[in-house]
């Protein structure tokens, strides 16, 4: 029996229920299909495509070069392969984005109608969204009861599966090079972020920084990298996670989000490996906190499944009346990390340089965009979609709506982060700001978070000229806070 295992967001060999079953039942044809057409506006952004390229390379290597990659409408590609390789069955692990659900249901029906065996498996979430409901059968809208009363008291997440003992791949696979998918930026050297260099030799390809950060200085991309990173986190980050996770300069978070998004590691592997380590080290409180963050990932998928318009529409319709301002110039300054508010600029530059941003800083830059700058949360969602290596339709849209106050169980709109005090509290030594905004590194900590208050002689001694080396603030924080609250007053009733 020849079985297609259709790789999607499960780019791993271990704990892969569909691949495990396929390997046990027959010869496997391992396939990845880049189906941008079906994804439409939610085709992966550029940083995610960069990650995907490297992840597919790693997967192909672990399959001894047997991964078949194709591009185009998934159903058509599958039908061509079924014919070419005389396939009897198609297996995959389920995905939960609305466009994927619709497409997969259509394909399942149509292939089954043609007599093929089609099976889908539970491989990318701890609890599938339809299995956790309130007593009255409706979905939860608030995280704590969803997680504590719904998830934690239902079936515990299953134990991870091993790598199949043997994966007998179909002989003579007509492979295409992963490069043909065009996932890496091919044309156009993009100028450095903050200035347009006149000298073309100063231009860098934007993915160069991603490569340095993740592949040269980090653990790399792919299943082995994910496992190593999980091990590092368990050994060095989990103990103290609850307190440390809010400090962007510390190495207290796992940085597993992109690995989880692409399924290089499963949430079950992360859940059980962290639980085992925490029991050994008496780190139960940290574990509870870490597991609840995995719970937020689940909740995001849950919301997306039950409320599929989450990426496009305000969850709370009253936000349709919010007086957003559409200002491309202001938006650009935010995108480029040139707002003049150091912690915001540090975050936006971390995003640009690494494709990642620490969660605390995501909340600060998000609040600043939608509240102080009054830009629509969808603008932030779109920029993150393009720039994050972990861009994930569920977590990104649920988190942006959370930040904007328009989501389910969201941060109340009137709670507006003060980016100065947030910086002072969570980056007290200014290490994070100095790393990403080096032009301010000479300023003493007292003024690092709000350089506009620095007396002229301090600025001079630090070599900072506001409005020249570093911008003046794009808005006055007090005024913009009050303006945001007025907007809220207008819609709240
Ligand atoms: P850790 O603290 O080590 O947590 C472990 C895992 O739990 C993460 O890898 C992630 O899968 C999950 N997780 C942690 N926090 C959250 C959260 N608040 N919501 C959902 N899952 C969470 N996360 C994404 O994976 N993709 C996104 O596109 C994304 N967009 C975001 C946009 C905004 C505006 C905000 C405020 C948050 C966003 N997040 C997103 C959530 C969160 O910031 C990242 O998951 C987290 O920073 C990843 O870092 P980590 O792996 O070190 O997390």
């Amino acid at each position: 029996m020849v079985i297609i295992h259709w790789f999607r967001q499960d780019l791993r060999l271990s704990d892969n229920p569909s691949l495990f079953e396929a390997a046990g039942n027959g010869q496997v044809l391992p396939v990845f299909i880049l189906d941008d057409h079906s994804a439409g506006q939610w085709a992966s952004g550029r940083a995610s495509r960069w990650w995907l390229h490297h992840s597919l390379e790693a997967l192909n290597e672990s399959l001894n070069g047997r991964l078949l990659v194709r591009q185009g409408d998934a159903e058509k590609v599958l039908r061509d392969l079924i014919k070419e390789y005389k396939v009897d069955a198609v297996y995959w692990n389920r995905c939960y984005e609305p466009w994927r659900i619709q497409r997969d249901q259509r394909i399942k029906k149509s292939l089954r109608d043609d007599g093929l065996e089609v099976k889908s498996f539970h491989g990318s979430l701890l609890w599938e969204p339809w299995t956790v409901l309130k007593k009255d059968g409706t979905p939860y809208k608030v995280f704590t009861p969803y997680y504590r009363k719904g998830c934690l008291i239902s079936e515990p997440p299953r134990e991870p599966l091993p790598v199949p003992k043997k994966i007998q791949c179909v002989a003579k696979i007509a492979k295409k090079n992963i490069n043909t998918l065009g996932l890496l930026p091919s044309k156009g050297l993009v100028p450095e972020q903050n200035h347009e260099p006149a000298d073309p030799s100063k231009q860098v390809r934007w993915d160069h920084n991603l490569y340095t950060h993740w592949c040269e200085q980090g653990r790399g991309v792919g299943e082995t990298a994910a496992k190593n990173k999980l091990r590092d986190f368990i050994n060095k980050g989990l103990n103290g996670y609850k307190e440390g996770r809010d400090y962007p300069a510390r190495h207290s978070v796992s940085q597993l989000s992109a690995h989880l998004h692409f399924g290089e590691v499963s949430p079950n592997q992360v859940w059980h490996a962290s639980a085992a380590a925490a029991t050994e080290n008496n780190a139960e409180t940290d574990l509870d906190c870490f597991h609840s963050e995995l719970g937020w990932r689940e909740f995001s998928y849950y919301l997306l499944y039950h409320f599929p318009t989450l990426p496009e529409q305000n969850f709370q319709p009253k936000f349709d009346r919010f007086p957003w301002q559409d200002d491309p110039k202001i938006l650009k300054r935010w995108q480029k990390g040139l707002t003049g508010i150091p912690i915001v600029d540090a975050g936006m530059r971390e995003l640009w340089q690494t494709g990642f941003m620490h969660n605390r800083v995501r909340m600060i830059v998000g609040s600043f965009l939608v509240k102080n700058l009054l830009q629509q949360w969808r603008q932030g969602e779109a920029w993150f979609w393009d720039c994050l290596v972990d861009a994930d339709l569920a977590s990104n849209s649920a988190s942006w709506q959370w930040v904007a106050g328009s989501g389910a169980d969201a941060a109340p709109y009137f709670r507006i982060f003060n980016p100065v005090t947030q910086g002072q509290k969570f980056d007290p030594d200014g290490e994070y700001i100095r790393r990403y905004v080096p032009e301010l590194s000479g300023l003493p900590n007292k003024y690092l978070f709000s350089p506009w208050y620095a007396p002229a002689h301090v600025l001079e001694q630090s070599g900072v000229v506001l409005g020249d080396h570093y911008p003046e603030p794009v808005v006055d924080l007090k005024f913009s806070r009050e303006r945001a609250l007025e907007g809220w007053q207008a819609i709240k009733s």
Side-chain angles (χ1 to χ4, degrees), residues 37-57:
H37 179 72
S38 302
Q41 67 165 318
W42 298 119
S44 304
R46 281 174 291 182
S48 299
R49 291 170 103 79
W50 174 88
W51 188 285
L52 177 61
H53 173 92
H54 292 286
S55 193
L56 290 173
E57 293 275 12

Side-chain angles (χ1 to χ4, degrees), residues 241 253-257 260 290 293-294 296-297 300 356-357 359 362-363 384 388 390-392 395-396 399-400 403:
Y241 174 81
V253 289
S254 71
Q255 294 217 358
L256 280 168
S257 46
L260 277 163
F290 182 64
E293 295 309 320
L294 293 174
W296 274 100
R297 176 178 183 270
S300 303
F356 185 83
M357 193 194 299
N359 181 60
R362 292 188 202 203
M363 294 194 289
F384 272 30
L388 278 172
D390 65 21
D392 181 279
S395 296
N396 199 36
S399 300
W400 271 101
V403 167

Side-chain angles (χ1 to χ4, degrees), residues 67-85:
L67 179 68
L68 198 69
V69 293
R70 290 286 184 274
Q71 190 161 16
D73 174 75
E75 181 169 356
K76 181 169 180 322
V77 172
L78 287 171
R79 286 194 171 280
D80 289 348
L81 295 173
I82 288 165
K83 222 170 168 187
E84 188 178 343
Y85 291 93

Side-chain angles (χ1 to χ4, degrees), residues 164-199:
K165 274 207 182 88
K166 189 166 183 220
I167 303 174
Q168 199 199 333
C169 287
V170 172
K172 284 204 199 138
I173 293 179
K175 283 171 295 172
K176 267 195 193 162
N177 191 312
I178 289 163
N179 285 328
T180 60
L181 296 179
L183 293 166
L184 294 179
S186 53
K187 60 176 174 172
L189 296 163
V190 180
E192 279 265 34
Q193 180 196 18
N194 294 332
H195 36 258
E196 315 271 328
D199 175 0

